[in-house]
């Protein structure tokens, strides 16, 4: 009979498909976050094997971070226009292919090009993972659990990077910190092609490709100029030309965005005080804290004599601290409000960096690696969540997704630029010496500088961040200060990872 109703799809099959989608999205996010930190432990081995210079070693990290940050907004827009599944597969395919190329690199430039390719793939993949997940899971407790899993997996990827990198480098080779992505990527690609359903947000505006190219080129050129200060100083042509060129490209980007019909970064968004203040704060926080993983892994191996595996295990407490800090932040924020917690988190991190700056050539694990590392990363975890909440809770509903991407871009770009600046600070103190005492003194100068930046950042947050922005009685980000009763007409703003965001 033609009008007979179709039999409903079995609930068990639907649940299986839903959690297969969740698993694919979470695995993609895990790979993206993992590759930010997994190479740190392998850097000394890469330098010896490929003959990388000190600045080239920094670009193993920066090439990924800059491409990731620069193209992330474009990746999110592309998922809306061309389809989430298509962009997920495209991003993961590019990421996997670049990982394969990096694992077989024979020259330093080949490794750097592969890392940039990974960053581009990650920028396309990462925004699609969350939109796919929220589209697959119905709103309610199930979606909350799925988003919680996505967030925990992302934090776990960053925390596991040092340990996984140490195990692979020590037992196999540095090449496996990249090659391990290949079998996982191929498996997820095959599953995603079968299980994921296509979908798009219905936004048919064209992609602002010119804006994406300008902002990425501007940030990359500026970072390159900062890296050049190690060899040429701040007044040398090799430094000034890329620095001024990068700033000029960023100026052109602002001009293009002010006139574009569908800009990648609408400038009106930055006119919201909470958005601009929170993003500058996130930039400073990232610039001061991201260097910790780089300097600590190199210090542990080159000064304290740890193996890559031992260095990876040594940083496990620090990795756990940032995870615990970020998980504890929402509950604390419900009582204190977002602004006080952000300021307190920055000061806790500053105390950790100040403690770390007392490091010595014969330092003990407990006082030269573990405890200051826990303090640094716990503070960073406590500060980052309220900053992201403030930015998104004050944004207009239609800009929530854009602001979420901007916060991630600020944090990632701050880390890349901060590493370049602080490496220059360390090199200036070291004076070209390779002795353990001089290297340690250079790293201590970098940690001391980070502590100063964090204190300055805390003061800036105190005076610039809006005083409201805690969570409502149900723990959701809102525009009210903690303790203020909900008023008629108040509408909680979308959470960072809500469907509206």
């Amino acid at each position: 009979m033609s009008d007979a109703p179709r039999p409903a799809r079995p609930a068990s099959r639907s649940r299986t498909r839903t959690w297969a989608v969740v698993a694919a999205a979470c695995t993609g996010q895990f790979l993206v976050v993992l590759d930010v930190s997994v190479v740190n432990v392998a850097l000394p081995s890469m330098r010896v094997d490929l003959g990388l210079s000190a600045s080239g070693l920094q670009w193993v990290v920066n090439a990924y971070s800059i491409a990731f940050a620069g193209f992330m907004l474009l990746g999110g827009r592309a998922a809306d226009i061309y389809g989430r599944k298509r962009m997920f597969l495209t991003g993961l395919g590019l990421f996997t292919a670049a990982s394969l190329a990096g694992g077989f690199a024979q020259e330093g430039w080949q490794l750097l090009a592969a890392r940039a390719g990974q960053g581009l793939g990650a920028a396309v993949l990462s925004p699609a993972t969350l939109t796919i997940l929220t589209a697959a899971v119905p709103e309610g407790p199930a979606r909350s659990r799925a988003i919680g899993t996505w967030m925990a997996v992302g934090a776990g990827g960053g925390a596991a990077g040092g340990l996984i990198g140490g195990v692979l480098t020590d037992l196999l080779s540095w090449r496996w910190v990249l090659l391990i992505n290949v079998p996982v990527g191929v498996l997820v690609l095959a599953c995603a092609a079968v299980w994921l359903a296509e979908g798009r947000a219905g936004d048919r505006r064209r992609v602002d490709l010119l804006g994406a190219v300008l902002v990425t080129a501007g940030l990359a050129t500026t970072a390159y100029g900062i890296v050049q200060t190690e060899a040429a100083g701040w007044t040398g042509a090799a430094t000034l030309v890329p620095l001024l060129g990068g700033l000029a490209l960023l100026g052109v980007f602002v001009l293009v965005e002010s006139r574009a019909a569908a800009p990648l970064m609408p400038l009106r968004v930055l006119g919201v005080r909470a958005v601009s203040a929170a993003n500058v704060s996130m930039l400073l926080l990232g610039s001061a804290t991201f260097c910790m993983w780089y300097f600590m892994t190199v210090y542990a191996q080159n000064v304290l004599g740890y193996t890559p595996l031992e260095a990876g295990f040594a940083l496990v407490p620090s990795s756990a601290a940032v995870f615990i800090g970020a998980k504890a932040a929402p509950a604390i924020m419900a009582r204190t409000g977002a602004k006080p917690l952000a300021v307190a988190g920055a000061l806790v991190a500053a105390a950790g960096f100040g403690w770390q700056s007392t490091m010595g050539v014969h330092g003990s694990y407990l006082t030269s690696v573990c405890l200051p590392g826990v303090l640094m990363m716990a503070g960073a975890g406590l500060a980052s969540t309220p900053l992201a909440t403030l930015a998104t809770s004050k944004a207009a509903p239609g800009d929530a997704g854009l602001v979420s991407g901007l916060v991630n871009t600020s944090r990632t770009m701050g880390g890349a630029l901060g590493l370049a600046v602080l490496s220059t600070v360390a090199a200036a103190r070291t004076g070209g010496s390779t002795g353990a005492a001089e290297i340690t003194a250079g790293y201590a100068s970098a940690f001391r500088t980070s502590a100063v930046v964090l204190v300055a950042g805390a003061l800036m947050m105190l005076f610039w961040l809006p005083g409201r922005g805690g969570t409502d009685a149900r723990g959701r980000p809102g525009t009210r200060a903690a303790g203020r009763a909900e008023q008629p007409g108040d509408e909680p703003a979308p959470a960072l990872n809500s469907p509206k965001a």
Side-chain angles (χ1 to χ4, degrees):
M1 297 173 60
S2 58
D3 4 344
R6 293 183 184 177
R9 187 165 49 185
S12 59
R13 182 180 174 185
S14 178
R15 284 194 297 269
T16 300
R17 182 185 182 93
T18 297
W19 287 106
V21 171
V22 172
C26 288
T27 304
Q29 181 67 4
F30 179 83
L31 291 176
V32 164
V33 179
L34 177 72
D35 265 63
V36 175
S37 60
V38 74
V39 300
N40 285 323
V41 174
L43 290 175
S45 300
M46 291 176 176
R47 182 173 188 175
V48 171
D49 198 11
L50 298 180
L52 289 165
S53 64
S55 61
L57 206 62
Q58 297 160 27
W59 276 96
V60 174
V61 179
N62 285 343
Y64 182 89
S65 299
I66 291 171
F68 185 21
F71 282 97
M72 196 182 305
L73 297 179
L74 177 63
R77 175 61 67 204
D80 287 337
I81 296 175
Y82 300 118
R84 298 155 187 163
K85 176 179 179 179
R86 183 179 298 173
M87 289 299 101
F88 181 93
L89 297 176
T90 300
L92 183 56
L94 178 57
F95 180 86
T96 304
S99 298
L100 182 64
F104 285 105
Q106 300 301 311
E107 301 287 343
W109 68 267
Q110 295 173 350
L111 177 61
L112 298 184
R115 288 288 289 167
Q118 282 187 306
L120 177 57
V124 176
L125 171 63
S126 183
T129 59
L130 185 58
T131 54
I132 283 173
L133 184 147
T134 54
V137 183
E139 190 171 1
R143 180 177 289 179
S144 299
R145 289 194 298 270
I147 292 175
T149 302
W150 183 86
M151 294 177 66
V153 165
L163 179 58
I164 293 174
V167 170
L168 293 173
T169 303
D170 207 41
L171 299 183
L172 296 171
S173 159
W174 66 263
R175 297 180 181 278
W176 279 96
V177 303
L178 301 174
L179 293 176
I180 192 65
N181 295 325
V182 177
V184 178
V186 170
L187 178 61
V188 176
L189 277 169
C191 294
V194 174
W195 288 105
L196 294 186
E198 189 54 277
R200 55 174 61 91
D203 190 339
R204 304 304 301 174
R205 291 182 289 174
R206 64 183 179 85
V207 174
D208 182 16
L209 183 59
L210 178 59
V213 171
L214 284 171
V215 70
T216 303
L219 291 170
T221 307
T222 303
Y224 177 77
I226 294 173
V227 169
Q228 289 298 97
T229 60
E230 182 176 341
W234 286 95
T235 58
T239 298
L240 289 177
V241 170
L243 273 178
L244 295 177
L247 292 175
L249 286 170
L250 292 175
V252 174
F253 167 73
V254 172
L255 181 62
V256 167
E257 297 303 282
S258 67
R259 300 182 176 183
L264 181 70
M265 178 68 249
L267 300 183
R268 59 177 169 73
V269 173
L270 298 179
V272 180
R273 177 183 171 188
V275 174
S276 55
N279 274 280
V280 173
S281 300
M282 190 67 81
L283 184 76
L284 289 176
L285 183 70
S287 68
T289 58
F290 181 77
C291 69
M292 179 267 186
W293 306 107
Y294 175 83
F295 287 122
M296 289 304 294
T297 52
V298 179
Y299 167 70
Q301 294 180 70
N302 289 356
V303 177
L304 300 182
Y306 289 17
T307 66
L309 181 59
E310 290 170 341
F313 275 110
L315 294 178
V316 166
S318 303
S319 302
V322 71
F323 178 85
I324 293 171
K327 292 287 285 182
I332 300 173
M333 191 165 57
R335 296 177 178 274
T336 66
K339 176 180 175 177
L341 182 58
V343 172
L347 292 176
V348 169
F353 275 88
W355 185 356
Q356 188 63 60
S357 70
T358 65
M359 60 206 292
V361 176
H362 304 293
S364 68
Y365 168 69
L366 191 64
T367 58
S368 292
V369 177
C370 180
L371 294 181
V374 167
L375 208 57
M376 287 186 278
M377 291 297 100
L382 288 171
S384 59
T385 299
L387 288 175
T389 301
L390 272 171
T392 55
S393 67
K394 296 292 185 177
D399 295 327
L402 172 65
V403 172
S404 298
L406 184 62
V407 167
N408 286 324
T409 301
S410 298
R411 179 179 55 189
T412 305
M413 203 61 241
L417 296 178
L419 177 59
V421 171
L422 292 168
S423 295
T424 302
V425 170
R429 177 63 178 83
T430 301
S433 174
T434 56
E438 289 76 12
I439 290 175
T440 303
Y443 293 167
S445 294
F447 281 111
R448 199 171 299 117
T449 302
S450 288
V452 172
V453 171
L454 286 166
V455 171
L459 290 173
M460 187 202 69
M461 295 176 202
L462 188 62
F463 291 105
W464 192 9
L465 287 175
R468 298 177 180 180
T471 56
D472 66 13
R474 288 162 287 185
R476 298 177 302 184
T479 59
R480 298 173 300 283
R484 174 179 177 267
E486 185 168 348
Q487 300 296 323
D490 280 342
E491 181 181 353
L496 179 62
N497 290 319
S498 73
K500 292 184 179 180

